[in-house]
Amino acid sequence: KQVIQVINPNTSLAMTETIGAAARAVAAGNTEILAVCPTQGVPSIEGHFDEAIAAIGVLEQIKIGREQGVCGHVIACFGDPGLLAAREMAQGPVVGIAEAAMHMATLVATRFSIVTTLPRTLIIARHLLQQYGFEHHCAALHAIDLPVLALEDGSGLAQEKVRQRCIQSIREDGCGAIVLGCGGMADLAQSLTRELGVPVIDGVTAAVKMVESLVALGLNTSKHGDLDYPIRKNLSGQFERLN
Ligand SMILES: O=C(O)C[C@H]1NC(=O)NC1=O
């Protein structure tokens, strides 16, 4: 069996469960999913400050996963926090859920819209569109204006707001697909795709299949150039465990 480490960069155990279950639902028969989150950090990631904190936890988990011999890693937060730093540390492929969902969307539609949680995190998605070269593929970005952990409060309110936003986006944006902009929405994609008749794409499941593909093709993270392992230094204090 090959093991794919799926890292929820926030410390919410409920969301880690949601993410792990979605990943397991699509994993190949020979793939085992190891769903983890940092032991310390931020309970939800809703801005640049949260992303900076979460990135350290991602790197710690990458190190642990590598020591455990996982074949690849998924960063299951829509900001892809710490992605390039994680790629320096990792031997296997590292795929962020935003880039995975965006890539998949471009394969089934000429334009996609993004539906995420808080309006203030839209800028993070915009920056990723620029970084990954998908600006011209994105028709619109929307936020349901609820916090990330509203997805885990059991009320179903956030899920219904995502559904309504998707319906409106399909009607108004001229997009052919929707990208769900939060790891906590991973369990909504398949039912929304069926109900709306339009590809609604979740990055957790997309990233799991992309890591499986990369592994099957024998493609590890390139160590030629800027994603080579980090230059060895004496990391001190709280960073000692990253040595
Ligand atoms: O930016 C967001 O809304 C979603 C992002 N935050 C988080 O804690 N997990 C995520 O996927």
Side-chain angles (χ1 to χ4, degrees):
K1 276 228 175 203
Q2 61 187 17
V3 179
I4 296 178
Q5 181 193 43
V6 177
I7 303 168
N8 171 18
N10 74 43
T11 57
S12 158
L13 296 179
M15 190 162 288
T16 305
E17 278 306 307
T18 299
I19 288 165
R24 289 186 185 98
V26 298
N30 66 328
T31 295
E32 182 185 328
I33 298 294
L34 176 63
V36 297
C37 66
T39 49
Q40 52 191 7
V42 61
S44 63
I45 299 161
E46 298 171 316
H48 308 291
F49 176 84
D50 294 350
E51 297 244 333
I53 292 174
I56 300 299
V58 167
L59 296 180
E60 284 173 2
Q61 292 305 318
I62 295 282
K63 183 173 192 295
I64 293 167
R66 206 178 123 207
E67 288 162 354
Q68 291 176 344
V70 303
C71 66
H73 315 261
V74 169
I75 298 179
C77 167
F78 201 74
D80 297 348
L83 180 63
L84 291 180
R87 285 184 176 154
E88 285 190 10
M89 288 189 75
Q91 178 180 20
V94 184
V95 177
I97 66 171
E99 67 176 347
M102 292 170 179
H103 277 280
M104 289 296 191
T106 62
L107 301 179
V108 296
T110 55
R111 283 153 56 86
F112 61 84
S113 287
I114 296 172
V115 175
T116 189
T117 54
L118 288 180
R120 68 177 293 168
T121 66
L122 290 172
I123 185 65
I124 294 172
R126 286 189 197 283
H127 285 167
L128 293 180
L129 287 167
Q130 290 163 9
Q131 185 180 330
Y132 302 145
F134 292 136
E135 272 175 290
H136 306 300
H137 294 79
C138 184
L141 297 99
H142 306 291
I144 60 172
D145 206 3
L146 281 176
V148 167
L149 294 183
L151 287 159
E152 296 297 334
D153 71 8
S155 71
L157 174 65
Q159 285 77 3
E160 179 53 23
K161 293 212 56 168
V162 169
R163 178 177 169 277
Q164 290 301 335
R165 198 69 201 76
C166 287
I167 291 168
Q168 188 179 353
S169 183
I170 289 163
R171 189 184 305 130
E172 295 174 357
D173 294 352
C175 64
I178 302 276
V179 164
L180 297 179
C182 182
M185 297 177 187
D187 56 344
L188 306 181
Q190 295 199 352
S191 56
L192 285 172
T193 299
R194 270 196 306 276
E195 180 195 352
L196 306 184
V198 165
V200 177
I201 300 163
D202 141 66
V204 173
T205 48
V208 166
K209 301 316 279 185
M210 290 180 94
V211 168
E212 285 179 344
S213 299
L214 289 162
V215 172
L217 295 170
L219 296 175
N220 281 321
T221 295
S222 172
K223 293 300 163 189
H224 177 73
D226 58 296
L227 292 181
D228 195 358
Y229 294 113
I231 298 163
R232 295 196 62 75
K233 293 168 186 161
N234 178 27
L235 304 179
S236 59
Q238 66 161 319
F239 300 105
E240 262 181 287
R241 53 182 174 272
L242 283 172
N243 273 324

